Amino acid sequence: MGFRFIDRFWIAVGVVLALGVLPGSKGKQCVGLGPCMCVFDDGSGTADMTTTGNTDGTAKYADYTALYDSFLYSYNPCYSFTENSCTDAAMCQSDYSQQSWKTGEQSTATWSFDGTNIQVYYSANTDVMRESFITVICDKGYDEPFVEIQGEETEGSAQYYGRITSKCACPDGCHKTTYNSNVEVTLTGGSILLIILFVLISVYLVGGVTYNKYRRQATGIEVLPNSSFWGALPGLVKEGVCFVLGCVRRGGGQKSSYQNI
């Protein structure tokens, strides 16, 4: 006899749940609050870079030699600065003749989190659209930030990269004040499916036990709904694993334990 409806239902729930919590579903994020900070949506704290930039209109990290090109770069977290022809800049590229190109504005700061590090994205529409990507690395051992500029990894791409390592990138590493961000904490697809599954299991167990005990006058383990199915579940799981691993092959010498319909 094939699987009954209830058997197929719970197997389907398990498959959907597994798909919902596999890597690739939306996870933890850091929600930007302007150019200076972002709040982790799991409630772990705020990455606050306010103290890592100059407030006097100059770049705190000025004229850094790039790893991938021959230009110099200046960067100032949080606050805009002016350098040569770069005005209201977050990041500025220049050559040794003092020509300069703005590669990002503070007003365009966009925060994201890849599961390991924060990234701040900046853009500036100058002669072309230029984009800067700064990876913000949490390390509580860095009281003073450490900055590296990669520059333009692919020549002509107008995309520029850098890294800043600081304790301020850690949740509440430098954030000392209480900030009411009103950030809406969103549930991931996997979390929603888990909640739905727990509700279904609770209703299933309470309803099934109540029905079996008071309507069918069942006792002992028989009060559990579909007790025969749950007793057979370990064997079903084993067969399923063997099937996936190729233990049961069509046309092989081993006979399948599933009956033909």
Side-chain angles (χ1 to χ4, degrees):
M1 181 183 296
F3 284 143
R4 293 173 300 171
F5 171 78
I6 188 64
D7 302 341
R8 293 195 296 269
F9 169 77
W10 284 112
I11 292 173
V13 168
V15 171
V16 172
L17 178 64
L19 291 175
V21 299
L22 283 174
S25 54
K26 182 181 176 183
K28 177 179 176 180
Q29 285 296 316
C30 201
V31 181
L33 299 174
C36 297
M37 67 184 74
C38 67
V39 177
F40 286 102
D41 63 3
D42 65 349
S44 58
T46 300
D48 188 347
M49 304 298 288
T50 302
T51 60
T52 64
N54 285 348
T55 60
D56 59 0
T58 63
K60 184 167 185 177
Y61 310 102
D63 297 330
Y64 274 57
T65 302
L67 298 178
Y68 299 132
D69 60 43
S70 57
F71 293 93
L72 300 174
Y73 292 84
S74 296
Y75 174 59
N76 196 54
C78 194
Y79 305 103
S80 297
F81 69 93
T82 297
E83 180 180 282
N84 300 324
S85 62
C86 293
T87 58
D88 297 324
M91 190 168 173
C92 181
Q93 178 196 56
S94 61
D95 60 18
Y96 289 93
S97 66
Q98 299 303 305
Q99 281 189 299
S100 58
W101 301 267
K102 181 165 55 177
T103 65
E105 298 177 345
Q106 292 290 358
S107 61
T108 64
T110 304
W111 299 74
S112 61
F113 184 69
D114 63 7
T116 302
N117 297 313
I118 297 168
Q119 186 177 82
V120 188
Y121 165 85
Y122 306 95
S123 64
N125 195 359
T126 55
D127 53 329
V128 296
M129 175 59 74
R130 299 177 186 271
E131 300 173 296
S132 294
F133 304 85
I134 303 297
T135 301
V136 184
I137 302 170
C138 164
D139 191 326
K140 294 181 179 180
Y142 282 83
D143 292 333
E144 287 296 321
F146 176 71
V147 171
E148 298 175 286
I149 301 296
Q150 285 79 42
E152 191 177 28
E153 293 186 5
T154 303
E155 184 177 357
S157 66
Q159 294 183 332
Y160 311 91
Y161 296 85
R163 291 194 292 260
I164 179 169
T165 304
S166 171
K167 68 177 184 180
C168 296
C170 304
D172 290 341
C174 295
H175 191 71
K176 303 301 181 184
T177 59
T178 301
Y179 187 88
N180 182 15
S181 63
N182 292 322
V183 174
E184 181 183 357
V185 178
T186 57
L187 294 174
T188 65
S191 299
I192 293 172
L193 286 170
L194 280 172
I195 293 172
I196 294 173
L197 178 64
F198 289 147
V199 171
L200 288 174
I201 290 176
S202 299
V203 172
Y204 169 72
L205 288 175
V206 172
V209 168
T210 302
Y211 177 82
N212 288 339
K213 183 174 179 64
Y214 297 102
R215 190 63 181 267
R216 299 178 58 191
Q217 302 297 313
T219 58
I221 197 173
E222 294 299 323
V223 299
L224 293 176
N226 302 103
S227 57
S228 59
F229 167 73
W230 297 114
L233 183 61
L236 295 174
V237 172
K238 180 180 178 181
E239 289 185 1
V241 171
C242 288
F243 180 82
V244 172
L245 296 179
C247 291
V248 180
R249 293 186 176 90
R250 184 177 300 176
Q254 185 178 0
K255 184 178 179 181
S256 171
S257 60
Y258 295 103
Q259 297 181 10
N260 294 326
I261 298 177

